[in-house]
Amino acid sequence: MTSSSTRSINTTAIAGLSVWVGLIVLVSYWMGQQAHRWLPVQASTAAPLVDDLFSFETAIGTFVFLGVVSVMAWVMLFNRAEKYDDTDAVPIEGNTLLEVIWTAIPFVLVMGIAFWTIRASDQLGTLGPMEHIHPRNPVEDAGGYPGDRLPAEQVEVIARQWSWEFRYPGSNVSSTELHLAVDQPVTFRLVSEDVLHGFYIPAFRVKQDVIPGRAIDFNVTPTREGVYRLRDSQFSGTWFAANQSDVVVESAQDHEAWLEQAARLPLQPGLSLAVSEYATRQSRSNPGWATVPPAPPPQVNVPGSSAQPHQA
């Protein structure tokens, strides 16, 4: 009779535990799906890969958090000492099965994250001018050459304290507002004229340090038309947070028209919020703490607008 009751209790406990673990899995999956809504819009081929990895890690983190909290709650509710009980706990030996399970679960989770990360990194590494992932193939749709390999546009990116300058060698155009054609792979040549900067476009999910004394090639393919924001992700001095620029992703036709129009414009000072803020500060009787004077704004064909709304 006792043996039968014990088996019944164990079966009930296992069933309840299975239901609770299943519920945690469902909540974790739901949280992973919600994680996509926490990020900016996806505007490049790299964005879905990064977002899927973030979603997976969010789901894993939710599962671990709820699992640990569940164990803590179970111990506090059903295994606490009686009131005024100050005796020592019963000495017990280690449970080999529990230790194996407790070691295996984190191992599987870490290996899963590592596998997903390696796969995403491998795919991100192929997003270059010769190999990249395309949601559609506009060249083949237009009757162009076969395959999904498109010629990459070349753009030179010059970072300085504190402004960005973009040069389009094929068109002899320069600007302080980055213009790109949608679904057209682009190769950036990143250089710094002074210190370490960070080339970061949140909507593209890409970030690359710009190291002084080196030229770094960096590839990306925009996939969504709109206006986005380029930010300096490295602390490069007083006004590094203001070292931002608009990224305009437009159709191939609009991009070609913009290049043609920009080539006819004379050179003029580009946008540099740091220069204007520094001039305002120096005009005061007490300019405040000493700082590095901003570099003069670059002479460009198109300065752009600092008041243009952007999506991310």
Side-chain angles (χ1 to χ4, degrees):
M1 185 67 177
T2 302
S3 176
S4 176
S5 300
T6 303
R7 283 196 298 271
S8 177
I9 293 174
N10 289 342
T11 301
T12 302
I14 292 175
L17 178 61
S18 300
V19 170
W20 183 247
V21 171
L23 181 61
I24 292 178
V25 170
L26 291 177
V27 173
S28 300
Y29 175 79
W30 179 81
M31 283 295 294
Q33 297 305 306
Q34 295 301 307
H36 288 282
R37 302 171 56 185
W38 306 340
L39 302 171
V41 296
Q42 297 180 349
S44 78
T45 50
L49 299 174
V50 176
D51 289 5
D52 288 345
L53 177 59
F54 178 72
S55 173
F56 178 70
E57 291 177 343
T58 300
I60 293 296
T62 302
F63 179 82
V64 173
F65 174 77
L66 293 179
V68 171
V69 170
S70 297
V71 173
M72 292 172 59
W74 179 75
V75 170
M76 289 188 296
L77 292 174
F78 303 107
N79 291 271
R80 58 184 179 180
E82 296 291 337
K83 191 175 183 179
Y84 305 121
D85 183 2
D86 57 357
T87 59
D88 292 335
V90 178
I92 59 174
E93 296 294 333
N95 188 311
T96 303
L97 177 61
L98 181 61
E99 292 176 358
V100 170
I101 295 175
W102 196 248
T103 303
I105 291 177
F107 176 79
V108 171
L109 295 179
V110 170
M111 289 299 102
I113 294 174
F115 171 79
W116 202 297
T117 302
I118 293 172
R119 188 182 69 170
S121 299
D122 182 64
Q123 290 178 317
L124 285 172
T126 65
L127 298 180
M130 296 302 295
E131 295 183 43
H132 56 276
I133 300 173
H134 252 299
R136 56 187 182 277
N137 194 331
V139 172
E140 280 193 345
D141 293 343
Y145 50 84
D148 64 348
R149 295 184 175 185
L150 301 176
E153 180 183 14
Q154 307 292 320
V155 177
E156 184 176 11
V157 179
I158 302 174
R160 58 172 65 87
Q161 295 173 307
W162 286 270
S163 64
W164 297 96
E165 180 183 357
F166 311 102
R167 298 177 181 175
Y168 309 81
S171 305
N172 197 27
V173 170
S174 61
S175 67
T176 47
E177 178 180 82
L178 179 59
H179 280 249
L180 302 172
V182 68
D183 290 320
Q184 176 69 42
V186 58
T187 297
F188 298 110
R189 185 176 184 270
L190 307 175
V191 295
S192 170
E193 290 190 345
D194 37 50
V195 298
L196 183 67
H197 295 272
F199 182 84
Y200 176 43
I201 306 176
F204 287 5
R205 309 295 193 275
V206 294
K207 185 175 79 69
Q208 173 63 50
D209 291 346
V210 188
I211 303 172
R214 292 182 56 186
I216 300 174
D217 289 336
F218 189 60
N219 308 309
V220 71
T221 303
T223 57
R224 188 176 188 271
E225 295 185 27
V227 180
Y228 310 104
R229 201 67 170 166
L230 163 65
R231 309 176 190 275
D232 191 345
S233 60
Q234 294 287 353
F235 179 74
S236 57
T238 307
W239 283 281
F240 88 98
N243 192 17
Q244 302 185 20
S245 178
D246 284 334
V247 180
V248 180
V249 180
E250 53 206 354
S251 66
Q253 295 79 7
D254 290 344
H255 185 60
E256 288 298 326
W258 178 84
L259 288 174
E260 293 178 4
Q261 181 183 8
R264 295 192 293 267
L265 298 176
L267 294 178
Q268 54 187 306
L271 289 178
S272 177
L273 181 60
V275 170
S276 59
E277 289 191 1
Y278 180 79
T280 301
R281 179 175 166 184
Q282 293 301 111
S283 64
R284 301 171 183 168
S285 58
N286 180 13
W289 64 85
T291 184
V292 176
Q299 296 293 310
V300 298
N301 300 97
V302 181
S305 170
S306 59
Q308 186 172 205
H310 55 273
Q311 301 180 46

